[in-house]
Amino acid sequence: MEFEYNTQRKKLVLPEYGRNVQIMVDHLLTIQDREERTRAAKTVIDVMGNLYPHLRDVPDFRHKLWDHLAIMSNFQLNIDTPYPLPAIDKLQERPEKVPYSTNHIKYKHYGKMTEKLIDEIRRQKNPEQKRALIVLTANHMKKSFLTWNKDSVEDEQIYKDLNTLYGSTLVMPEGFTLSDPKDLLQKKNKPNSNKPANQKNYQKKGNSNRPYYKKQQNQQNA
């Protein structure tokens, strides 16, 4: 018996639907009667929708299914469709080039968000809100520094960089110190759902059953 590998078969246009759906679409092209071909196409659409049951009744998704059917048939399927089919030229268009930001960031490890926070400090007129924003920005800078540089950093370095980005010396609140690195980088531990809710009680219960089991076994042997 000779096996046929997928690499030897016709390349699938949309592999996510599988080869059986592609075979159905190819069979639609052999149906001569237009009405019968349209009914068969609706059946194929239902099969395609069954692959994604949580989306098959969404109107936009139904539209996408008909578009995919047209693509899989290479737009040769002459049937009545409930939605206008996409144009071949539109599908063959090359995507537009994504515009990348060319803004220069002075300290890349602090990121663009730090510069936006500093701009907000410049615009802030309320003294109390300005001090609170300075504290927030300084702690954000320290967290960003520690994220990209695992070594510890002195608070004075953060203040120095903050003043450099601001363009002048910012007055920090009296007695203020930046947050501890452990507090800035700590991660909440997720509970393990596989473990018993009360492991101590579980072990205690297990131990208490052993004498009872031995007692029952001795009675049976007697």
Side-chain angles (χ1 to χ4, degrees):
M1 181 177 178
E2 185 178 355
F3 292 96
E4 184 181 7
Y5 297 96
N6 286 333
T7 54
Q8 298 172 327
R9 297 178 179 179
K10 177 183 176 182
K11 184 178 180 180
L12 296 177
V13 181
L14 296 176
E16 58 267 32
Y17 291 107
R19 189 166 298 277
N20 288 334
V21 174
Q22 183 63 57
I23 293 175
M24 295 179 190
V25 176
D26 294 339
H27 176 70
L28 294 176
L29 298 173
T30 64
I31 301 176
Q32 299 298 325
D33 184 70
R34 179 184 174 88
E35 293 184 1
E36 182 181 354
R37 189 166 59 248
T38 300
R39 288 195 300 269
K42 292 179 180 178
T43 302
V44 175
I45 289 292
D46 291 338
V47 173
M48 294 166 63
N50 286 336
L51 298 175
Y52 306 94
H54 60 292
L55 295 174
R56 62 185 175 187
D57 295 327
V58 178
D60 291 343
F61 183 69
R62 298 287 295 184
H63 191 174
K64 183 182 294 185
L65 290 178
W66 283 98
D67 290 348
H68 288 176
L69 179 64
I71 295 172
M72 294 170 70
S73 67
N74 198 22
F75 294 90
Q76 296 179 5
L77 196 59
N78 186 14
I79 57 175
D80 298 324
T81 60
Y83 306 98
L85 298 180
I88 301 179
D89 297 339
K90 191 69 175 177
L91 293 175
Q92 293 177 346
E93 287 182 358
R94 294 179 64 86
E96 297 181 1
K97 187 176 181 180
V98 178
Y100 289 95
S101 175
T102 57
N103 295 332
H104 175 70
I105 302 178
K106 189 175 182 63
Y107 298 125
K108 293 184 179 181
H109 54 279
Y110 290 132
K112 189 65 180 176
M113 179 57 67
T114 297
E115 295 186 354
K116 291 182 178 180
L117 288 172
I118 291 175
D119 290 338
E120 185 62 30
I121 293 174
R122 294 191 184 98
R123 291 190 293 266
Q124 188 58 247
K125 302 299 183 182
N126 187 300
E128 292 185 2
Q129 293 183 2
K130 186 170 184 176
R131 284 194 295 269
L133 192 56
I134 292 173
V135 172
L136 174 65
T137 303
N139 277 315
H140 175 75
M141 291 174 63
K142 185 173 182 178
K143 181 178 180 180
S144 299
F145 188 100
L146 294 171
T147 300
W148 294 102
N149 304 276
K150 297 304 181 181
D151 298 332
S152 61
V153 58
E154 298 292 336
D155 290 354
E156 292 300 327
Q157 180 65 45
I158 300 297
Y159 299 149
K160 179 181 177 182
D161 294 342
L162 176 59
N163 291 330
T164 300
L165 292 172
Y166 186 75
S168 61
T169 302
L170 285 170
V171 178
M172 303 299 294
E174 185 177 355
F176 167 75
T177 57
L178 295 179
S179 299
D180 188 85
K182 294 182 180 179
D183 297 331
L184 291 172
L185 301 177
Q186 68 178 351
K187 296 180 180 179
K188 295 183 179 179
N189 295 326
K190 295 183 178 180
N192 190 347
S193 58
N194 294 328
K195 293 183 179 180
N198 193 333
Q199 190 173 6
K200 292 183 178 180
N201 293 339
Y202 177 81
Q203 293 175 348
K204 183 177 180 181
K205 182 178 179 181
N207 293 333
S208 62
N209 286 338
R210 291 176 183 173
Y212 177 78
Y213 173 76
K214 291 181 178 179
K215 182 178 180 181
Q216 291 292 329
Q217 190 177 24
N218 293 333
Q219 291 177 356
Q220 292 177 0
N221 293 335

